[in-house]
Amino acid sequence: MSIWTIPVRLNHKGGNQMKYLLLIYMDENAMSDTEREHCYGESAQLAQDLHTQGQFLATAPLHPVATATSVQVRDGKSLVTDGPFAETREQLGGFFLVNAQDLDEAIAIATRIPGAKVGTVEIRPVIEVAGLPAQPSILVG
């Protein structure tokens, strides 16, 4: 069951861009190895296009969920378990971190992500927190 809500379209005065994290979810078996390699190539081209437009911040595919480790701290004690945080039909497969003027522009970028053809791209605005170290110019190499 899905819960429908009205998307939040944050207003940015003065033309300031906001960071959006575009999370790519899909069934890990949705693509063959050949299709996955083609997807990586398309994603690299999209990253280059976004870089040219000053919107690219970072992107990376993730290893399969079988390689995931989850950590929880409760009452000062760590609990480390193998596997993802939640068992779901679709898994987090990668991400793009981009600059966009608003949610509509972030949606336009998300529609260009190859994984959106076989999965779902979740768009989340990033909260800017004072006191964090400056972002390196290249997060993923």
Side-chain angles (χ1 to χ4, degrees):
M1 179 168 143
S2 296
I3 298 173
W4 290 92
T5 60
I6 298 171
V8 176
R9 284 179 165 69
L10 302 171
N11 292 331
H12 303 323
K13 294 182 170 71
N16 293 334
Q17 291 191 326
M18 182 165 183
K19 291 181 179 111
Y20 287 89
L21 185 60
L22 311 178
L23 300 161
I24 306 161
Y25 292 93
M26 68 178 67
D27 183 317
E28 286 184 337
N29 299 313
M31 291 187 221
S32 67
D33 289 343
T34 302
E35 291 169 325
R36 190 174 314 282
E37 286 303 317
H38 181 71
C39 179
Y40 293 162
E42 285 185 76
S43 294
Q45 183 57 56
L46 174 57
Q48 291 295 333
D49 294 347
L50 293 170
H51 178 73
T52 299
Q53 298 166 3
Q55 295 178 294
F56 177 79
L57 296 172
T59 189
L62 301 175
H63 285 280
V65 293
T67 65
T69 302
S70 297
V71 177
Q72 295 178 327
V73 178
R74 301 293 185 269
D75 298 320
K77 295 181 182 175
S78 300
L79 174 63
V80 179
T81 55
D82 291 334
F85 170 68
E87 296 291 329
T88 61
R89 188 176 60 84
E90 293 184 322
Q91 295 81 35
L92 179 60
F95 70 91
F96 274 80
L97 180 62
V98 300
N99 281 319
Q101 291 295 329
D102 53 31
L103 179 59
D104 292 325
E105 189 171 58
I107 290 169
I109 294 169
T111 64
R112 297 171 59 195
I113 295 174
K117 296 174 190 168
V118 295
T120 302
V121 177
E122 178 183 343
I123 302 168
R124 302 279 299 271
V126 175
I127 297 172
E128 299 286 338
V129 177
L132 294 177
Q135 252 183 310
S137 59
I138 298 178
L139 295 176
V140 180

